[in-house]
Amino acid sequence: MAKGKPQKKRAYNPKLDKTPLKLQNPISYDSMPFIWRIHDGLIDYEHPEFGWHKVDILDFLKNIVKRLQSYEGQLWHDMKRNRHCHPWGLDAIPKECSDRLGERQIDINELYQIPIGSIPRIIGYKTGNTFYLMWYDPDHKFCPTKAK
């Protein structure tokens, strides 16, 4: 039986002018909803000025949790538009807080601030789209805004 001629392999040359349909980063946490957590290894109960030991349980449940829950439906992109919700570099935080991170062996690059009202705020750690509570700043003393 005679063998037929082998088929020639045809090369496929895709068009070079195509653009991808999805132009944004698929792992963009800014487009994900705000989530908050309390982790025993991160929250600081005993800090003399910003520790959670100073927070009354009723104040925590009525005001702080309620405010955090109000943020839960927002995307991080929208959270960042709020000028009171922003990151802090570790070089900008009080020395005692920086030292406290070292004592507790918490290795992070930046902290994040979430407002709870006009003055009180929570300082925490953001990873992905999750915000972990660390310190409570009822009097805006963590990194006070300099008067103009």
Side-chain angles (χ1 to χ4, degrees), residues 56-116:
D56 178 63
I57 188 67
L58 288 177
D59 183 43
F60 180 74
L61 294 172
K62 287 183 176 180
N63 299 318
I64 298 171
V65 170
K66 186 177 180 180
R67 184 65 167 196
L68 288 167
Q69 287 174 335
S70 75
Y71 291 133
E72 286 178 349
Q74 293 184 34
L75 301 179
W76 269 103
H77 173 74
D78 299 327
M79 294 285 292
K80 289 179 178 179
R81 287 183 177 175
N82 179 343
R83 68 182 182 96
H84 300 291
C85 179
H86 57 82
W88 284 108
L90 296 184
D91 57 337
I93 68 172
K95 183 178 177 350
E96 66 269 9
C97 292
S98 180
D99 293 346
R100 191 94 169 121
L101 290 172
E103 287 171 20
R104 298 179 65 217
Q105 298 178 348
I106 298 174
D107 185 24
I108 57 176
N109 296 329
E110 69 179 7
L111 295 171
Y112 222 85
Q113 155 182 313
I114 303 291
I116 297 300

Side-chain angles (χ1 to χ4, degrees), residues 110-113 122-126 131-135:
E110 69 179 7
L111 295 171
Y112 222 85
Q113 155 182 313
I122 294 175
I123 311 301
Y125 170 61
K126 179 183 175 286
F131 177 76
Y132 290 94
L133 282 62
M134 292 181 80
W135 291 301

Side-chain angles (χ1 to χ4, degrees), residues 38-68:
I38 297 173
H39 187 281
D40 200 45
L42 294 173
I43 196 164
D44 192 345
Y45 301 106
E46 297 148 8
H47 189 279
E49 192 167 3
F50 307 118
W52 288 90
H53 68 283
K54 297 171 107 178
V55 179
D56 178 63
I57 188 67
L58 288 177
D59 183 43
F60 180 74
L61 294 172
K62 287 183 176 180
N63 299 318
I64 298 171
V65 170
K66 186 177 180 180
R67 184 65 167 196
L68 288 167

Side-chain angles (χ1 to χ4, degrees), residues 27-30 32-35 76 80 112 125-132:
I27 308 176
S28 172
Y29 296 110
D30 283 357
M32 297 179 79
F34 172 85
I35 297 173
W76 269 103
K80 289 179 178 179
Y112 222 85
Y125 170 61
K126 179 183 175 286
T127 179
N129 65 320
T130 305
F131 177 76
Y132 290 94

